[in-house]
């Protein structure tokens, strides 16, 4: 069975930095594009960034220049390096793959990022 385990979230001050990790198992990691998505309190899922199998990356406009997505295919892990964090970045962060508009795997527990003034 597929496992997605997010970690690294914590309480940080505005302008701070944080790196999130997603440890995966149960599927051929290097054959799938991977995404970070987030969900703020009372809001729906919001796409953050994607990295393709070949390493090409895309990110949402609101995080461009601040967040960097990366992957380590040898370790089956996905990362999200975040800097210049803002209160609006407060959310639960999840990793998953996406096929069209659908997320393929069962969701992990997510990791909470809280940005405080």
């Amino acid at each position: 069975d597929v496992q997605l385990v997010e970690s690294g979230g914590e309480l940080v001050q505005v302008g701070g930095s944080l790196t999130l990790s997603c440890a995966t198992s149960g599927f051929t990691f290097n054959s799938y594009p991977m995404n970070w998505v987030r969900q703020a309190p009372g809001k729906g899922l919001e796409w953050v960034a994607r990295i393709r199998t070949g390493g090409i990356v895309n990110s949402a406009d609101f995080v461009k220049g601040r967040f960097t997505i990366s992957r380590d295919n040898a370790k089956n892990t996905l990362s999200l390096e975040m800097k210049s964090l803002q209160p609006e970045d407060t959310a639960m962060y999840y990793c998953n793959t996406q096929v069209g508009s659908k997320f393929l795997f069962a969701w992990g527990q997510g990791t909470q990022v809280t940005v405080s003034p």
Side-chain angles (χ1 to χ4, degrees):
D1 56 325
V2 172
Q3 298 289 321
L4 304 171
V5 182
E6 300 91 347
S7 63
E10 62 181 65
L11 174 66
V12 297
Q13 294 186 68
V14 169
S17 299
L18 203 59
T19 298
L20 308 183
S21 295
C22 171
T24 76
S25 62
F27 68 102
T28 306
F29 178 79
N30 63 9
S31 295
Y32 290 84
M34 294 298 297
N35 299 264
W36 284 100
V37 298
R38 68 188 187 185
Q39 187 169 33
K43 306 295 183 181
L45 285 173
E46 184 176 48
W47 176 75
V48 175
R50 177 188 66 203
I51 182 166
R52 298 181 184 272
T53 56
I56 297 172
V57 302
N58 298 93
S59 61
D61 288 342
F62 53 81
V63 301
K64 275 192 169 69
R66 299 190 300 123
F67 292 8
T68 301
I69 188 172
S70 62
R71 67 191 298 156
D72 187 338
N73 288 336
K75 298 180 179 179
N76 297 333
T77 59
L78 179 74
S79 297
L80 184 67
E81 183 179 355
M82 305 182 293
K83 62 181 181 181
S84 300
L85 285 162
Q86 304 168 19
E88 294 76 19
D89 296 317
T90 295
M92 187 74 74
Y93 285 72
Y94 301 90
C95 59
N96 213 324
T97 192
Q98 190 175 19
V99 180
S101 62
K102 300 176 64 177
F103 291 98
L104 183 62
F105 301 129
W107 298 102
Q109 294 297 307
T111 186
Q112 178 67 43
V113 173
T114 302
V115 185
S116 177

